Amino acid sequence: MYRLLIFSLLMAAWLVLSGLFDPFHMTLGAISCAIVTWMSADMLFQSRSSLDQRLRELFRIPAYLCWLLWQIVLANVYILRMALNPGPLEHLSPRVVRFKTTLKSDWAKFVLAQSITLTPGTVTIKIVGDEFFVHAISQEAADGLDGAMEGWIKHVYEPQEKGAVI
């Protein structure tokens, strides 16, 4: 069922974006979509959470994306100030920060890693189990890994326990 849904969505996107409806291009699209579906279906729907959980995620994502966009703007301003600051670069102190996450799903960890990397001044280097290794350009960038991003992602992607206040 999930594979058919993924294939259908990919094929619809192929048709809309290509705009070519001749047999050659439709066959090529079908083959490409089948290969991508075969390779990624288990990855996309591994947890198979309920429809209720998926809808909750859908409504919470825009708030997280707005917050993330603001964090990216703030980090860009910080990096710009560092770049335009004349004089010695003593404020530049690259480091690798290691921290444990409380996120359970691989998807939530993936979103956290990508969100960290999208924020200028930090790059996710490696994830081992629940441990993240992040390169930060300075102490201030490292201090920005205070868990707020993880909290947002937990709010969006991890099911809330009964009685928990959101």
Side-chain angles (χ1 to χ4, degrees), residues 15-92:
L15 291 172
V16 168
L17 294 174
S18 75
L20 301 171
F21 301 101
D22 58 279
F24 173 76
H25 286 98
M26 290 186 65
T27 304
L28 187 62
I31 292 169
S32 299
C33 292
I35 291 171
V36 170
T37 300
W38 174 70
M39 291 175 57
S40 65
D42 290 338
M43 178 179 64
L44 291 174
F45 291 106
Q46 185 178 16
S47 66
R48 289 186 174 62
S49 59
S50 68
L51 179 62
D52 181 46
Q53 177 64 26
R54 295 277 181 189
L55 289 174
R56 201 173 308 127
E57 291 172 7
L58 183 66
F59 287 112
R60 291 178 180 176
I61 286 173
Y64 171 66
L65 292 177
C66 289
W67 179 85
L68 179 62
L69 185 61
W70 180 244
Q71 297 305 308
I72 291 171
V73 167
L74 292 176
N76 271 300
V77 168
Y78 172 71
I79 296 296
L80 182 65
R81 277 190 318 191
M82 281 178 49
L84 297 178
N85 187 13
L89 299 176
E90 66 266 349
H91 55 278
L92 206 87

Side-chain angles (χ1 to χ4, degrees), residues 96-159:
V96 174
V97 180
R98 184 175 119 192
F99 66 91
K100 283 192 175 266
T101 183
T102 59
L103 298 173
K104 301 294 181 222
S105 73
D106 288 340
W107 180 255
K109 291 176 189 176
F110 169 77
V111 171
L112 177 60
Q114 296 307 313
S115 298
I116 289 170
T117 300
L118 275 173
T119 309
T122 54
V123 176
T124 304
I125 300 171
K126 183 162 101 173
I127 304 170
V128 179
D130 291 336
E131 280 191 320
F132 276 65
F133 294 85
V134 177
H135 179 273
I137 198 167
S138 67
Q139 181 62 44
E140 188 173 333
D143 292 341
L145 300 168
D146 60 0
M149 191 177 288
E150 181 179 350
W152 271 95
I153 292 169
K154 183 177 272 195
H155 175 70
V156 172
Y157 289 106
E158 306 243 332

